Amino acid sequence: MPIHEKSLIRPENLKTHDKLVLDGIDVSGHWSTFIETRVVSDYNEALEEEISALPGGEYIHRCWQCGSCTNSCTVHAINPDFNPRFWIYLIRMGMESELLRDKDIIWQCVSCNKCTYACPRDVVPEGVMKATAHWLERKGHTPKSPSTHFDEVFTEQVIATGKIEESRTIRRFFKRTNQGLMQSWMVEMVKRMLRHLPIGLLSRMGLATFIAPRTSNWSSAASAIQEYIDEQHDKQDKALSLSELIDVAQKDAAA
Amino acid sequence: MTAKKEKYKKVAYYPGCALEGTGHAYNRSTKEVGKALGLDLVEVKNWNCCGAMEVKNVDPKIQTYLSSRVMSVAANEMDMDVVMAPCNGCYHNLKKAEYDLKNDSESAKVVDRLSKKAGHKTYETGQVETIHALDWIRETIGEDGLKERVKNSLSGIKIANYYGCMYTRPRHIFPEKDAGPGSESTSKPHFMDDLLAAAGAENVDFPLKTACCGGAHTLSDSDTSTKLVLNILKTAKLAGADVIATECPTCHSGLEMHQIRAEKNFGEKVEIKILYFTQLLGMALGLKARKVGVHENISDSIGFLKERGLG
């Protein structure tokens, strides 16, 4: 497969005039195609540093733009706009507004790690995708993605009980993202499960569990984990200048 | 080889959360196959979640800690030196934790701090070796041993072997792979192919062995997952397979769920059976289909197996 290059000329910036005469010469039609000047003036010099401060983004500075990540990418194969190499370029250049054009798809990385496998510089592009998606959310550019909601529901349950009980995670995720559980394909799936299964076994498989599995003597591990997560969150807020922003806002409100 | 043969005969068994839920049939068939082969599985005491991809996304070091606790229990409370995890996610995460603890001092510091606060011994790298169910059967019984034990050959069944992402990627957490003759390949894995071939099955040439099923977004971005699964199902079918053999509960339930979703939401029906490799091996060893949980699968293969004299 070739390395997919991203064109920096956007279709909306191409201007063609049906009738145009310049210095007495007729240049109508495609002869008169011009590219509208595009000025990038809002470089965010801290962008790379901010993304490096989030888990997964640590090695973005190693990238030498070979494009192996995009070339091997599972999501790129079904959506050509999904382009890790290009986003890493934009982040390292500080081109924030350009990056924001793709803000709604970056979270769709499926973490298959084909990019990490292919990368000759150990950038861990999969981690960079996660860090970038989190950065967009933490900075308020996008709402929390369904994927982040799922991660949070899952992690909350692990901290609370030490284990996951899948049906509960699924129910909580649907509730948090305001989706109905009775989607036609879900109903069909359970219908097919019931074909050969007695209901008692279904409950053993976790579909109707009343007693959730849990790791015993878990409470001290749970509080240690929560304490660490909170601590990291504060550190990241500082790196993203978010705590500074809150400080200023609080002082402003007090005055 | 022989050292491993003895070492893997009795292992600490880490089923993980999925095998107590949607992957129950995998749990059941793994245990039954172990019993039939005379291998000893001792479940890790009071185990916890490995952290999966979800906790890693929230904070990778917490995932490292969670996985390290499982290994610490196996080593320090059970005196075991091998942990066997049939789930690709668990297997991957324990391997990743081992790598991180060995190579990143910050991770080791965090794990030590959390272990002390949680009140258990800190896991030290090298205390246990984490293996997959494929390694376990391959090293202890092997292809020749399996051939001797086959009661119902799988002959006539065409299989596409599907390994998914986490069994081989990223390469650096699996130092024993790509290590010359006899080792597993990260680009073209073959351990499952070898075992099923020994049981008499015909493996088809399947190019998507390590493609992604979109398991990470199975519910959060279902359309992407359905497209990826559809690609896997159609390719297996085109390659001539009757069955896709799986070795991961997330892949397995992803294929089953999105096979139905593709039919319901995209109007695309692909007729192909999905079975855990342990279910196939179990039936080859003479176990009944029910015993290895075939009736628990959503993908209905009971009729298909009966026609071929299995189950």
Side-chain angles (χ1 to χ4, degrees):
Chain A
M1 232 198 320
I3 289 176
H4 299 272
E5 197 36 79
K6 177 104 185 161
S7 172
L8 289 176
I9 303 168
R10 298 188 192 120
E12 67 266 28
N13 288 349
L14 290 172
K15 300 287 173 215
T16 307
H17 300 272
D18 288 338
K19 279 203 172 75
L20 186 66
V21 178
L22 286 178
D23 296 337
I25 300 164
D26 184 1
V27 288
S28 302
H30 72 274
W31 284 101
S32 66
T33 301
F34 293 95
I35 302 164
E36 200 147 281
T37 315
R38 188 163 56 91
V39 181
V40 180
S41 56
D42 56 348
Y43 282 94
N44 173 1
E45 287 178 24
L47 189 57
E48 181 179 4
E49 218 170 278
E50 289 182 359
I51 288 181
S52 309
L54 296 177
E58 297 89 346
Y59 307 116
I60 188 172
H61 62 279
R62 293 175 178 170
C63 177
W64 57 22
Q65 289 290 302
C66 72
S68 299
C69 49
T70 297
N71 191 30
S72 60
C73 179
T74 297
V75 186
H76 178 80
I78 53 176
N79 176 9
D81 286 336
F82 194 96
N83 195 333
R85 183 207 63 81
F86 181 55
W87 296 331
I88 291 173
Y89 168 77
L90 294 178
I91 293 163
R92 299 203 61 206
M93 292 288 282
M95 293 164 89
E96 185 171 320
S97 59
E98 290 292 304
L99 182 73
L100 292 182
R101 292 169 66 90
D102 290 328
K103 65 183 167 54
D104 296 322
I105 59 171
I106 295 175
W107 67 272
Q108 288 180 306
C109 161
V110 289
S111 295
C112 69
N113 268 315
K114 285 195 173 176
C115 51
T116 306
Y117 186 92
C119 180
R121 295 279 295 153
D122 286 342
V123 170
V124 194
E126 183 266 341
V128 176
M129 292 305 103
K130 291 293 160 205
T132 309
H134 288 150
W135 179 85
L136 288 165
E137 293 172 4
R138 297 279 284 271
K139 285 282 194 173
H141 294 303
T142 54
K144 275 185 188 169
S145 71
S147 172
T148 300
H149 281 301
F150 193 82
D151 293 341
E152 287 181 356
V153 166
F154 190 103
T155 304
E156 283 162 21
Q157 201 183 338
V158 172
I159 294 175
T161 62
K163 285 184 182 179
I164 285 299
E165 194 258 287
E166 290 165 316
S167 64
R168 194 165 52 160
T169 315
I170 293 169
R171 285 198 307 271
R172 283 190 186 166
F173 167 71
F174 276 121
K175 199 171 167 202
R176 201 167 289 186
T177 50
N178 297 316
Q179 299 181 68
L181 196 58
M182 298 303 156
Q183 303 186 28
S184 70
W185 66 279
M186 291 274 270
V187 174
E188 181 65 27
M189 190 176 77
V190 175
K191 220 166 80 190
R192 293 196 196 177
M193 289 175 94
L194 288 172
R195 224 171 7 202
H196 300 295
L197 281 180
I199 198 86
L201 195 65
L202 273 186
S203 70
R204 188 146 55 90
M205 285 173 74
L207 275 153
T209 319
F210 300 106
I211 309 154
R214 48 169 67 236
T215 309
S216 46
N217 300 320
W218 185 248
S219 61
S220 42
S223 56
I225 292 170
Q226 192 59 56
E227 181 190 76
Y228 180 78
I229 289 180
D230 293 343
E231 207 178 278
Q232 291 303 305
H233 215 265
D234 285 349
K235 259 192 213 164
Q236 289 154 9
D237 272 351
K238 273 198 192 92
L240 265 50
S241 320
L242 290 173
S243 43
E244 205 182 324
L245 188 68
I246 294 166
D247 271 359
V248 172
Q250 275 172 345
K251 273 178 200 148
D252 208 43
Chain B
M1 205 71 154
T2 35
K4 277 185 184 170
K5 196 180 170 102
E6 285 310 308
K7 197 176 169 194
Y8 294 177
K9 271 194 176 146
K10 185 178 177 183
V11 295
Y13 178 50
Y14 177 43
C17 307
L19 266 68
E20 289 196 337
T22 48
H24 186 261
Y26 193 22
N27 196 356
R28 185 181 196 145
S29 52
T30 302
K31 285 183 185 168
E32 288 297 337
V33 166
K35 220 189 279 172
L37 293 173
L39 303 171
D40 207 356
L41 291 177
V42 191
E43 189 158 327
V44 175
K45 280 184 204 158
N46 192 31
W47 51 264
N48 56 277
C49 168
C50 69
M53 189 170 294
E54 287 77 4
V55 178
K56 184 229 75 171
N57 289 344
V58 170
D59 196 300
K61 292 196 172 63
I62 297 298
Q63 181 264 304
T64 306
Y65 163 69
L66 290 167
S67 292
S68 84
R69 182 188 174 275
V70 174
M71 296 192 280
S72 170
V73 172
N76 301 316
E77 291 171 34
M78 298 167 68
D79 205 22
M80 301 292 278
D81 55 2
V82 181
V83 176
M84 189 277 275
C87 166
N88 273 0
C90 300
Y91 166 70
H92 173 105
N93 276 332
L94 265 53
K95 289 282 201 191
K96 181 170 174 291
E98 179 77 26
Y99 178 87
D100 285 348
L101 289 172
K102 208 175 265 172
N103 295 285
D104 174 30
S105 58
E106 193 53 40
S107 286
K109 242 173 22 199
V110 172
V111 164
D112 186 46
R113 172 184 143 183
L114 292 177
S115 302
K116 285 197 172 113
K117 282 196 177 167
H120 59 82
K121 271 195 182 163
T122 305
Y123 173 73
E124 313 242 348
T125 57
Q127 275 189 299
V128 298
E129 182 190 0
T130 299
I131 62 169
H132 192 272
L134 287 168
D135 300 307
W136 174 59
I137 299 172
R138 194 174 180 278
E139 297 296 347
T140 48
I141 307 296
E143 289 140 65
D144 293 339
L146 209 54
K147 269 182 205 160
E148 288 164 18
R149 290 170 173 81
V150 168
K151 291 198 180 110
N152 298 322
S153 166
L154 302 178
S155 71
I157 300 184
K158 291 185 177 141
I159 297 181
N161 290 272
Y162 178 59
Y163 297 79
C165 304
M166 319 262 296
Y167 177 67
T168 55
R169 285 190 299 267
R171 195 196 317 256
H172 62 259
I173 66 172
F174 305 110
E176 69 286 1
K177 290 185 175 145
D178 291 334
S183 70
E184 180 63 300
S185 158
T186 60
S187 55
K188 284 189 178 169
H190 53 83
F191 278 12
M192 182 160 54
D193 295 62
D194 298 347
L195 292 176
L196 291 172
E202 183 188 331
N203 294 315
V204 302
D205 194 3
F206 182 49
L208 298 184
K209 283 181 167 186
T210 66
C212 177
C213 71
H217 292 332
T218 195
L219 293 171
S220 49
D221 187 9
S222 301
D223 279 353
T224 298
S225 298
T226 306
K227 279 180 207 162
L228 294 173
V229 167
L230 204 45
N231 193 24
I232 291 164
L233 300 177
K234 281 180 173 171
T235 306
K237 188 88 190 161
L238 276 172
D242 311 313
V243 172
I244 297 179
T246 58
E247 41 89 302
C248 165
T250 312
C251 298
H252 184 98
S253 56
L255 293 184
E256 287 188 321
M257 277 167 68
H258 291 281
Q259 187 179 34
I260 293 172
R261 197 170 182 275
E263 193 183 321
K264 280 273 156 196
N265 293 21
F266 293 9
E268 296 219 48
K269 191 173 177 178
V270 189
E271 269 290 348
I272 194 158
K273 314 295 177 197
I274 302 153
L275 287 159
Y276 287 108
F277 86 98
T278 42
Q279 293 181 316
L280 289 159
L281 283 187
M283 287 183 286
L285 292 169
L287 299 172
K288 289 252 173 283
R290 265 197 108 73
K291 193 116 190 168
V292 289
V294 172
H295 59 298
E296 292 179 19
N297 294 353
I298 303 172
S299 159
D300 189 2
S301 43
I302 293 176
F304 168 85
L305 293 166
K306 278 211 175 111
E307 271 171 36
R308 279 153 188 82
L310 294 165

